[in-house]
Amino acid sequence: MSETDAPGLPEPQDLRAVSASEGLELLMAPQRAVHDGGPEMIQLLTPEGQRVPSSRLDAIVDELTDEELRGFYRDLVLIRRVDAEATALQRQGELGIWASLLGQEAAQVGSGRALRPQDYAFPTYREHGVAWCRGLDPLNLLGLFRGVTHGGWDPNEHNFHLYTIVIGAQTLHATGYAMGVAKDGDVGTGDPDRDMAVIAYFGDGATSQGDVSESFGFAGVHNAPIVFFCQNNQWAISEPNYRQTRVPLYKRASGFGFPGLRVDGNDVLAVYAVTHLALDHARSGQGPVLVEAFTYRMGAHTTSDDPTKYRVSAEVEVWKHRDPILRFKAWLAHEGKADGEFFDQVDREAEQLATRVREGCLAMPDPAGTEMFDHVYVEPHPLIDKERAEFLAYHASFEEAHS
Amino acid sequence: MTETTLAKSLTSGLRAAMENDPKVILCGEDIGKLGGVFRITEGLQKDFGEDRVMDSPLAEAGIVGTAIGLALRGYRPVVEIQFDGFVYPAFDHIVSQVAKMPSRSGSRIHLPMVIRIPVGGGIGAVEHHSESNEAYFTHTAGLRVVSPSTPHDGYWMIQEAIATDDPVIFYEPKRRYWDKGEIGDAPDLGLHDARVCREGTDATVLAYGPMVKTCLQAAEAAAEEGTSVEVVDLRSLSPLDLDTITGSVEKTGRCIVVHEAPVFGGLGAEIAAEVQARCFYHLESPVLRVGGYDVPYPPSRLEEEFLPDLDRVLDAVDRSLAY
Ligand SMILES: Cc1ncc(C[n+]2csc(CCOP(=O)(O)OP(=O)(O)O)c2C)c(N)n1
């Protein structure tokens, strides 16, 4: 196994950011083919579960306790199980649709666990693993896909914003939030409980949206404390990467004057370490970082999608060998950090969680019809009041007719 | 005459347009190999090539903005917006550029483009997939706005829209994609003509897109109770075929406009205003509107309560008759 630590901190850019960003001087991995993520991809665990040393990142990983590492494994397994249950519930008509995170667990758990409580995350619609790390009950997510709510949780309770379906929009919201954080002086104080960063999740397809480029521009100009976390799962519904971009996505950052890195998104240790570094960079007042997590959407885009129409199963097979859970499990076992009993116990816990999620989903009541009028405005609104009254009267007329 | 679905009629219409005019090109998200999420462009990339059926980057402003450039270069772009709620990133280009450039050029520039938008609710979707945003575009001078409700109209209207030298917003009622009907050998109406699709004498119901079927069902139910309802499918939302509309209302004396979009500031307001101005002495009762409530389109478990249905249309007919 070769040393992966060559200087990798992206060129250029803002000199101030570069000189101050020692911590991001990541090292290059051994040569890899581009479809494997290329030589620039940072990896700490091979698909076989072998540890690749990194002078820059080892310290971060070494700080993790065995319990925390086992916790990562538990996160990965539980969220995959919840995801499978949600898919099954959709098939049974209990959810309108489900966007599976299968294959992207490490990208989400690694980055989600790198967040501090005060950090703030802005997800797309697929960040079930991040939601889990932020302490959301998975049932909150199911409610949205079941169609009982467009929201489903209090964003400020978990510092986890609502899911955003309009592609790319949340990257601007996250940037604005980060600009506010900077204005409040909650960066660069050195107080680990005060300094905070914002993380914006988005997909490879989203990078084509103007909103995403604009958010890079704003974040750069304002030196906002934000980590742009792109899960490059290779597909935007039916469109492969080359329909969206001619350059590797992490390289986009350099044009906006901040560092961009590509990490093996199926390697939970590398994702954790790189995101940890990037968040520290942002929290310490050095501005934005783009992290491209190179991963794969193992399932369909959503339960409505049929990927056999546009991609070959051989590709999926290749990625099966890069499974994020298998490699981490192999490493944990090899290092003696976890044993069979632990793995079995996590499996049992996953089954229990799946049962609870299923039962909770089936028990989820439909909202009352009047709820659609309830939160449109904060202050009273005459048209809403009139229509709510009409709605009630109309439905009452049926009850009268039937009684 | 063959039975086919609205979805397939649109595919056939697009195919015919592409065969007839090599300048017709398609662009949109996932429209190539996948054939679009609703499969409207299914098979077209295979038959016409990637040059004419282009999978676009995921960017609606880009899709419409580059369609303008292609039109300037002599092409006739037909772009697909994946869902109604995703047209807004392109709103600036549609309203500020597409709608205005021809007049700004003194007609030196033509922008013969079609912007196809699957529209409306009723499919149990998540947020942003069920909107009825036609009023934004009917309110914009420079755009033509049409919506077929049957396979026959789907097949012919898409070809007529493509052949039009002005930009056309083409709304496809997505929950009716799988409804079947026959396609006639020729278009029997112009692109901007309304169709009296059921004759009646007691009240006129005006509808378009997904609501046409609902209103026909309501008329059927009303007939069982002895009320004769005339249903007009507007087909064209801008311009409006006011002659057909007023002809019907003058005959029945009562008018109800039905759309999925929220009522306040909706297209129904424009129609009601025109009807009362033109048919004042013929009206037996005020023009009524039935539509969505003035709230964001609700989560799917509530959509049945939001969308006008047979009962709400009948309720309005009753109120009109009881006036
Ligand atoms: C503005 C907008 N346009 C189109 C869509 C429809 N849509 C939903 S997901 C998707 C592909 C997204 O791909 P990517 O950003 O790579 O994320 P992934 O779903 O692969 O996680 C599209 C086109 C949308 N939600 N928003």
Side-chain angles (χ1 to χ4, degrees):
Chain A
M1 190 181 330
S2 45
E3 172 75 333
T4 62
D5 298 6
L9 212 206
E11 304 97 84
Q13 312 125 10
D14 178 339
L15 284 176
R16 185 187 33 144
V18 171
S19 59
S21 63
E22 277 260 271
L24 277 169
E25 273 179 24
L26 297 167
L27 308 172
M28 268 162 80
Q31 290 294 322
R32 288 190 202 91
V34 171
H35 64 265
D36 292 339
E40 307 91 342
M41 187 173 81
I42 299 156
Q43 188 183 68
L44 296 180
L45 277 184
T46 67
E48 294 72 38
Q50 283 178 314
R51 184 74 163 77
V52 184
S54 158
S55 63
R56 200 75 246 170
L57 299 174
D58 284 351
I60 296 171
V61 172
D62 291 346
E63 268 181 28
L64 291 165
T65 64
D66 287 357
E67 195 179 337
E68 284 171 319
L69 290 166
R70 285 194 295 270
F72 286 6
Y73 177 82
R74 176 175 171 269
D75 293 337
L76 294 169
V77 171
L78 294 195
I79 199 61
R80 178 174 286 187
R81 186 64 188 85
V82 167
D83 188 76
E85 196 62 26
T87 301
L89 283 162
Q90 194 282 335
R91 294 282 176 246
Q92 292 151 17
E94 295 296 334
L95 302 180
I97 192 171
W98 180 253
S100 168
L101 65 17
L102 189 66
Q104 298 177 223
E105 295 88 349
Q108 298 193 11
V109 168
S111 59
R113 286 299 171 202
L115 296 169
R116 290 189 193 150
Q118 71 268 29
D119 294 335
Y120 212 111
F122 285 76
T124 70
Y125 39 79
R126 205 188 290 284
E127 266 67 76
H128 319 318
V130 184
W132 170 260
C133 294
R134 297 309 278 172
L136 260 85
D137 188 318
L139 278 172
N140 288 321
L141 312 174
L142 269 71
L144 191 149
F145 291 96
R146 187 170 167 86
V148 303
T149 173
H150 284 326
W153 56 89
D154 176 357
N156 291 323
E157 197 181 317
H158 304 277
N159 282 10
F160 184 77
H161 189 65
L162 299 178
Y163 272 7
T164 298
I165 289 174
V166 179
I167 299 294
Q170 75 282 0
T171 59
L172 279 167
H173 312 155
T175 300
Y177 196 97
M179 287 159 58
V181 167
K183 287 185 196 306
D184 290 343
D186 292 334
V187 287
T189 69
D191 177 351
D193 295 325
R194 175 167 177 192
D195 290 341
M196 67 177 284
V198 176
I199 189 165
Y201 289 88
F202 53 102
D204 43 287
T207 61
S208 292
Q209 285 285 5
D211 280 8
V212 173
S213 285
E214 291 176 26
S215 72
F216 288 4
F218 271 69
V221 165
H222 288 275
N223 201 42
I226 182 166
V227 173
F228 292 106
F229 194 93
C230 177
Q231 284 169 84
N232 179 357
N233 65 10
Q234 314 302 324
W235 292 93
I237 309 186
S238 71
E239 299 196 19
N241 270 199
Y242 67 82
R243 290 277 176 221
Q244 312 288 347
T245 183
R246 275 176 66 154
V247 292
L249 294 173
Y250 73 93
K251 289 197 173 172
R252 290 265 175 101
S254 75
F256 289 91
F258 53 86
L261 306 160
R262 175 179 278 180
V263 63
D264 183 341
N266 287 14
D267 170 356
V268 71
L269 286 184
V271 174
Y272 172 81
V274 165
T275 314
H276 183 101
L277 214 54
L279 287 165
D280 271 353
H281 180 89
R283 288 191 205 103
S284 61
Q286 297 169 81
V289 182
L290 169 62
V291 175
E292 177 194 356
F294 202 79
T295 179
Y296 194 74
R297 196 195 77 209
M298 292 298 292
H301 170 71
T302 65
T303 45
S304 306
D305 178 40
D306 174 9
T308 61
K309 291 233 175 227
Y310 54 80
R311 72 182 187 187
V312 295
S313 58
E315 181 182 292
V316 183
E317 289 307 314
V318 167
W319 280 89
K320 267 189 192 158
H321 295 291
R322 302 178 187 160
D323 184 79
I325 299 186
L326 290 181
R327 79 173 74 173
F328 191 54
K329 184 178 185 180
W331 179 73
L332 284 176
H334 182 260
E335 295 293 308
K337 293 179 186 298
D339 55 18
E341 195 183 321
F342 168 75
F343 296 130
D344 290 347
Q345 176 216 316
V346 172
D347 285 345
R348 280 195 299 277
E349 192 185 352
E351 288 313 310
Q352 284 159 9
L353 177 60
T355 305
R356 183 174 74 73
V357 164
R358 162 168 294 270
E359 287 169 0
C361 177
L362 298 181
M364 219 179 270
D366 282 353
T370 49
E371 258 186 43
M372 68 177 129
F373 303 102
D374 288 350
H375 307 286
V376 184
Y377 301 94
V378 175
E379 300 194 16
H381 190 286
L383 181 58
I384 290 282
D385 293 342
K386 169 181 162 278
E387 291 193 353
R388 185 193 286 109
E390 283 171 0
F391 179 88
L392 286 169
Y394 174 71
H395 286 277
S397 73
F398 281 97
E399 268 144 46
E400 274 161 32
H402 290 138
S403 59
Chain B
M1 291 247 211
T2 48
E3 272 257 311
T4 189
T5 62
L6 174 61
K8 290 242 161 60
S9 77
L10 292 163
T11 313
S12 313
L14 287 169
R15 176 180 294 280
M18 294 184 79
E19 280 164 356
N20 291 339
D21 184 349
K23 290 295 186 189
V24 174
I25 52 171
L26 315 188
C27 185
E29 294 157 10
D30 304 290
I31 69 163
K33 259 192 192 159
L34 184 63
V37 295
F38 290 108
R39 309 290 187 265
I40 305 302
T41 54
E42 184 141 60
L44 297 181
Q45 188 180 65
K46 192 170 124 272
D47 295 346
F48 294 96
E50 293 191 6
D51 258 8
R52 290 185 70 191
V53 181
M54 301 181 287
D55 267 331
S56 75
L58 207 179
E60 290 78 8
I63 292 170
V64 175
T66 56
I68 294 173
L70 284 158
L72 291 175
R73 183 67 191 171
Y75 286 89
R76 299 184 92 85
V78 182
V79 303
E80 174 172 302
I81 300 294
Q82 200 161 76
F83 281 90
D84 35 53
F86 305 136
V87 70
Y88 306 118
F91 197 70
D92 174 47
H93 278 287
I94 298 174
V95 171
S96 299
Q97 306 296 341
V98 174
K100 298 188 173 113
M101 206 179 280
S103 75
R104 204 152 56 85
S105 77
S107 283
R108 291 181 185 90
I109 287 173
H110 295 179
L111 292 180
M113 66 167 76
V114 176
I115 300 173
R116 295 179 38 239
I117 310 177
V119 72
I123 62 162
V126 288
E127 208 184 2
H128 313 298
H129 292 71
S130 306
E131 312 219 333
S132 296
N133 41 26
E134 64 272 14
Y136 298 144
F137 299 113
T138 56
H139 191 63
T140 301
L143 304 174
R144 295 174 184 271
V145 184
V146 302
S147 183
S149 72
T150 63
H152 174 79
D153 281 343
Y155 178 74
W156 293 111
M157 285 172 74
I158 188 65
Q159 296 183 67
E160 291 165 328
I162 292 169
T164 301
D165 280 336
D166 289 315
V168 179
I169 307 286
F170 193 89
Y171 276 116
E172 302 170 2
K174 67 172 86 87
R175 69 164 135 153
R176 307 298 183 209
Y177 270 147
W178 305 279
D179 285 3
K180 286 191 168 171
E182 287 187 349
I183 298 176
D185 297 336
D188 51 331
L189 292 171
L191 180 61
H192 296 295
D193 295 336
R195 180 192 303 284
V196 177
C197 48
R198 181 188 172 106
E199 295 201 15
T201 52
D202 297 336
T204 295
V205 172
L206 306 173
Y208 51 90
M211 281 292 110
V212 173
K213 182 175 179 185
T214 306
C215 292
L216 285 170
Q217 289 167 340
E220 192 71 44
E224 283 165 23
E225 289 172 12
T227 305
S228 168
V229 172
E230 177 146 309
V231 179
V232 178
D233 176 357
L234 297 183
R235 297 171 80 251
S236 177
L237 318 190
S238 178
L240 287 166
D241 177 2
L242 288 166
D243 289 344
T244 301
I245 293 171
T246 54
S248 175
V249 176
E250 285 174 4
K251 183 175 77 175
T252 65
R254 298 173 199 276
C255 178
I256 296 127
V257 193
V258 183
H259 52 54
E260 282 190 16
V263 168
F264 187 87
L267 187 58
E270 173 63 28
I271 297 168
E274 283 292 340
V275 168
Q276 67 85 22
R278 288 170 181 246
C279 309
F280 192 70
Y281 291 108
H282 293 88
L283 283 171
E284 306 282 343
S285 69
V287 180
L288 297 180
R289 288 174 290 162
V290 181
Y293 295 99
D294 289 284
V295 301
Y297 194 92
S300 59
R301 292 262 165 172
L302 287 184
E303 72 181 341
E304 299 296 324
E305 315 227 34
F306 171 90
L307 291 168
D309 59 5
L310 184 145
D311 285 329
R312 277 173 66 197
V313 175
L314 288 179
D315 176 65
V317 170
D318 287 347
R319 279 187 286 132
S320 179
L321 290 168
Y323 187 81

